[in-house]
Amino acid sequence: MASLALLIPTEKLDRLHIAANLTAAAASMGWSVHLFFTFWGLLALVKGREPSGITGDYMAYESSLKKAVESGVMPRWADLIRQAKQLGDVKIYACSATMNLLSIDRDQLEDFVDDVVGAATFLSIAEKSDVSLVV
Amino acid sequence: MEEDRVVHVVDARYLSCPGPLLALVKKLNEVRRGGIIKLLATDPATPRDVKEWAERTGHKLLEYKKVEQVFEIYIEV
């Protein structure tokens, strides 16, 4: 079965939704999925932190996205990741260098995080994946 | 389609992509091989997504039609 590697360098909600949607679709098709949250993307994995805002140029559409999530048309991105994990082989990785940079400990991260890894590990995973994308 | 087979309905209307696909996949646990699922969806990408999914996972998209604004998609598990 195919596999997908995603690099997530931002905690903007629009990007997180793109990552979550692709993850859920891939898991539905039986693909294995590996998500590497690095730099500001890592902030999205911090427990209790609600990522806010969307990518700068598109702020006018922020309310549309929030409305879609509140009405249930679109699940919250983290819920979608959890659902995808129940379906199949979905692994969530936090970037070790960013943990150090932002003084974040492992126990501050969400329960759905599988491991803290380095760049070489993610590159090895991406090398073996059929599809690698940056969101 | 054989009309005498039990049809399991999955109502994924108003969910946006990939919600309908997720709802379909979740239902698979309850349906035996050869069973039929009728997926209701309004997201326009759903028929093609289900076709691609079925081709990769060994299931069968039997047929789909659009009734008013709702896609009715029949899948053999």
Side-chain angles (χ1 to χ4, degrees):
Chain A
M1 203 55 82
S3 57
L4 167 68
L6 281 180
L7 180 75
I8 299 131
T10 165
E11 67 157 351
K12 293 295 182 189
L13 273 175
D14 46 343
R15 304 302 180 92
L16 294 173
H17 275 279
I18 293 168
N21 282 9
L22 291 173
T23 298
S28 296
M29 291 200 292
W31 293 22
S32 56
V33 189
H34 303 268
L35 294 95
F36 186 58
F37 288 78
T38 186
F39 269 76
W40 322 130
L42 184 87
L43 293 170
L45 298 180
V46 174
K47 255 186 251 175
R49 185 184 167 97
E50 198 59 46
S52 62
I54 64 174
T55 308
D57 290 346
Y58 306 99
M59 287 302 283
Y61 298 101
E62 186 176 16
S63 61
S64 305
L65 179 57
K66 290 196 164 160
K67 213 167 99 186
V69 172
E70 278 161 21
S71 68
V73 167
M74 213 179 249
R76 287 182 65 246
W77 73 273
D79 291 342
L80 205 45
I81 297 280
R82 286 193 179 92
Q83 288 179 45
K85 288 194 76 149
Q86 284 173 358
L87 286 182
D89 180 28
V90 176
K91 295 282 189 293
I92 311 297
Y93 305 111
C95 164
S96 65
T98 312
M99 302 270 288
N100 190 34
L101 174 74
L102 302 176
S103 302
I104 292 168
D105 295 325
R106 178 72 177 83
D107 58 12
Q108 288 175 264
L109 300 180
E110 287 283 4
D111 54 356
F112 59 74
V113 176
D114 292 282
D115 207 352
V116 177
V117 303
T121 300
F122 180 69
L123 284 174
S124 301
I125 290 166
E127 185 188 25
K128 287 176 241 157
S129 299
D130 300 284
V131 181
S132 302
L133 299 170
V134 179
V135 300
Chain B
M1 290 198 33
E2 297 167 42
E3 296 296 337
D4 57 340
R5 278 196 277 187
V6 177
V7 174
H8 302 261
V9 178
V10 176
D11 187 353
R13 289 175 298 165
Y14 313 113
L15 296 179
S16 69
C17 164
L21 193 58
L22 271 178
L24 169 62
V25 171
K26 282 180 191 166
K27 190 74 179 179
L28 289 178
N29 296 332
E30 299 170 30
V31 181
R32 287 186 189 174
R33 192 97 196 149
I36 305 289
I37 293 176
K38 177 186 181 181
L39 176 66
L40 303 176
T42 46
D43 186 302
T46 310
R48 172 100 187 247
D49 265 11
V50 170
K51 180 174 171 284
E52 299 290 346
W53 166 83
E55 283 172 5
R56 281 161 181 75
T57 52
H59 302 288
K60 198 169 167 190
L61 171 60
L62 299 174
E63 63 167 334
Y64 73 89
K65 55 193 171 192
K66 198 173 181 185
V67 179
E68 292 175 351
Q69 296 307 308
V70 180
F71 288 105
E72 294 182 359
I73 305 166
Y74 291 87
I75 300 110
E76 184 181 298
V77 176

